[in-house]
Amino acid sequence: MASIHMDDLHKVYGGGVKAVTGVSLDIADGEMIVLVGPSGCGKSTLLRMVAGLETISRGTLKIGDRVVNTLEPAERDIAMVFQNYALYPHMTVFNNLAYGLKNRKVPKDQIGRRVREAAKMLEIEEYLDRKPRNLSGGQRQRVAMGRALVREPEAFLFDEPLSNLDAKLRVQMRVEIRQLQKRLGTTSLYVTHDQLEALTMADRLVVLNAGQVEQVGTPMEVFEKPASVFVAGFIGSPAMNMLDVDYLRETGAGDALHGFPPGTDLIGVRPDDLSMTAPEGPHLRLSGQVALLEPAGAESHIYVTLGGSAQPITVRVQGLPTVAEGADLNLFAPLPVLHPFNRASGLRVA
Ligand SMILES: Nc1ncnc2c1ncn2[C@@H]1O[C@H](COP(=O)(O)OP(=O)(O)OP(=O)(O)O)[C@@H](O)[C@H]1O
Ligand SMILES: [Mg+2]
């Protein structure tokens, strides 16, 4: 197992496309890092640079103490699980798992041992003689995982491995991958555009935007203290509400406004942090009208239009809402839960 060190990594594709611009990151031995960000932000590119499938335009990549910039993928001792894993349809599960090891000329008895161990861990032992077409989607996904496992690599790289699965199976496999990663203690870099997957799986998550790191931190750090407007909007669902400070001043939105450092012109508030009763101490007060109720099982979302602003804000409550569509509503949030941002820099203010 190994640590991974990225120092100022850049990737410029042909035609001058800047996919990754100056990413630095130290991943500890055994750590699970989740790279998260919107489509096109450079996640796969960065992962493929680590794997050795893309050349590095600038910067240094180390695995353990070794600079690997120019090493071939096979020399890096890393196993990758892709979104579109293609299993060999004419081979049994056993042979799918054994194929890479045979190519590497691993002795036959060792292949047998490793395949059986991986199959046991992934609970696919009883399918070893089947062909992939006779497996369910989740079982196939496990075989794809198994091909990485049998390699016993220094690190795992995952590129959206669950995006082909239905919602229920995604959750199940998410848990299985995380449990397995913890048990094996293998350094892992996991790519997803799903913020919930990132929050639930990561030791630390890295939010990427347009080829650059927006924030690195534990899931709680990033959720509780998003470093930028971008991160605030990307992590957490429903997304954080953003309120214009000028608008709040005009509408006399409460004494909380005095509590912010200079430069604050946007205030973020999570849908969970708004309530219909006034708290003690300095707080924000908003008045609006219920535009839409959205029951979602154990919780409900209330969309509220504020006077003079087009975009409704979202409130999340437990259970069924106690207000009706069209009703006037006051909302409150205490000062400590509010997130101050500067619009021009896009950054958090203190
Ligand atoms: N081979 C290539 N040649 C030129 N540009 C490329 C190439 N591969 C990717 N890009 C561009 O680089 C940027 C980053 O692409 P990348 O595939 O890393 O994004 P991603 O974050 O993985 O997105 P997604 O979530 O959609 O998979 C995009 O603008 C993409 O169009
Ligand atoms: Mg991708």
Side-chain angles (χ1 to χ4, degrees):
M1 258 127 5
S3 53
I4 299 175
H5 308 276
M6 306 177 191
D7 184 17
D8 198 28
L9 288 185
H10 289 250
K11 176 67 187 184
V12 185
Y13 284 113
V17 180
K18 291 180 180 170
V20 172
T21 48
V23 170
S24 297
L25 183 68
D26 288 314
I27 305 174
D29 187 7
E31 198 175 19
M32 174 87 159
I33 292 280
V34 178
L35 280 176
V36 64
S39 185
C41 71
K43 304 180 296 294
S44 296
T45 301
L46 193 57
L47 206 67
R48 292 169 58 82
M49 287 158 83
V50 176
L53 301 170
E54 295 290 353
T55 56
I56 293 170
S57 307
R58 207 171 99 201
T60 309
L61 175 67
K62 279 191 190 173
I63 298 176
D65 298 329
R66 237 176 12 151
V67 174
V68 300
N69 278 44
T70 55
L71 287 191
E72 291 297 318
E75 297 171 299
R76 296 190 187 195
D77 199 10
I78 270 177
M80 188 149 166
V81 184
F82 296 93
Q83 172 182 350
N84 295 310
Y85 52 87
L87 302 178
Y88 300 107
H90 56 284
M91 286 186 198
T92 61
V93 169
F94 184 99
N95 285 326
N96 265 285
L97 293 174
Y99 185 76
L101 298 179
K102 282 182 189 158
N103 272 352
R104 284 185 172 73
K105 311 246 181 303
V106 174
K108 208 167 172 191
D109 55 327
Q110 234 195 79
I111 294 180
R113 175 188 63 80
R114 287 206 213 169
V115 167
R116 264 166 237 294
E117 268 178 24
K120 185 157 181 243
M121 241 181 270
L122 295 161
E123 295 179 22
I124 49 173
E125 288 165 291
E126 53 193 296
Y127 314 122
L128 282 173
D129 297 327
R130 283 205 206 165
K131 301 273 172 65
R133 69 169 175 275
N134 300 324
L135 298 176
S136 72
Q139 289 160 348
R140 274 183 226 155
Q141 180 61 47
R142 277 188 218 135
V143 178
M145 282 278 302
R147 287 197 304 201
L149 274 188
V150 294
R151 297 258 317 269
E152 300 177 355
E154 297 260 31
F156 290 125
L157 305 178
F158 299 93
D159 195 351
E160 311 230 14
L162 307 183
S163 51
N164 286 335
L165 305 177
D166 66 42
K168 194 171 162 206
L169 204 49
R170 271 183 87 113
V171 174
Q172 187 190 331
M173 287 301 298
R174 179 176 96 198
V175 173
E176 286 180 17
I177 291 179
R178 184 55 169 143
Q179 280 179 329
L180 199 61
Q181 190 275 336
K182 279 190 175 173
R183 188 147 40 122
L184 297 172
T186 309
T187 313
S188 298
L189 196 49
Y190 186 104
V191 160
T192 180
H193 61 264
D194 180 338
Q195 57 91 31
L196 187 60
E197 228 167 79
L199 285 171
T200 51
M201 294 180 85
D203 285 321
R204 284 188 301 154
L205 56 92
V206 176
V207 185
L208 274 186
N209 179 22
Q212 288 182 321
V213 174
E214 286 268 334
Q215 188 169 9
V216 182
T218 64
M220 278 331 277
E221 282 166 0
V222 174
F223 185 80
E224 287 181 348
K225 221 171 174 194
S228 64
V229 174
F230 178 86
V231 175
F234 197 78
I235 301 292
S237 175
M240 188 186 282
N241 299 296
M242 284 292 165
L243 301 162
D244 185 286
V245 168
D246 287 339
Y247 168 80
L248 296 175
R249 288 227 164 81
E250 279 162 30
T251 52
D255 45 7
L257 290 179
H258 307 299
F260 289 113
T264 305
D265 51 14
L266 277 178
I267 289 178
V269 55
R270 295 226 180 258
D272 291 283
D273 289 332
L274 287 162
S275 72
M276 290 179 231
T277 47
E280 305 257 328
H283 58 266
L284 178 77
R285 182 176 51 77
L286 303 167
S287 317
Q289 213 175 30
V290 178
L292 184 73
L293 298 175
E294 198 179 63
E299 61 181 48
S300 302
H301 308 146
I302 308 174
Y303 296 94
V304 178
T305 330
L306 304 179
S309 87
Q311 184 87 353
I313 61 165
T314 318
V315 183
R316 173 155 60 191
V317 295
Q318 293 303 308
L320 286 172
T322 53
V323 289
E325 282 174 8
D328 291 325
L329 185 70
N330 286 322
L331 292 168
F332 304 90
L335 176 63
V337 305
L338 301 176
H339 303 261
F341 296 102
N342 179 263
R343 194 192 302 272
S345 68
L347 298 177
R348 187 183 191 92
V349 186

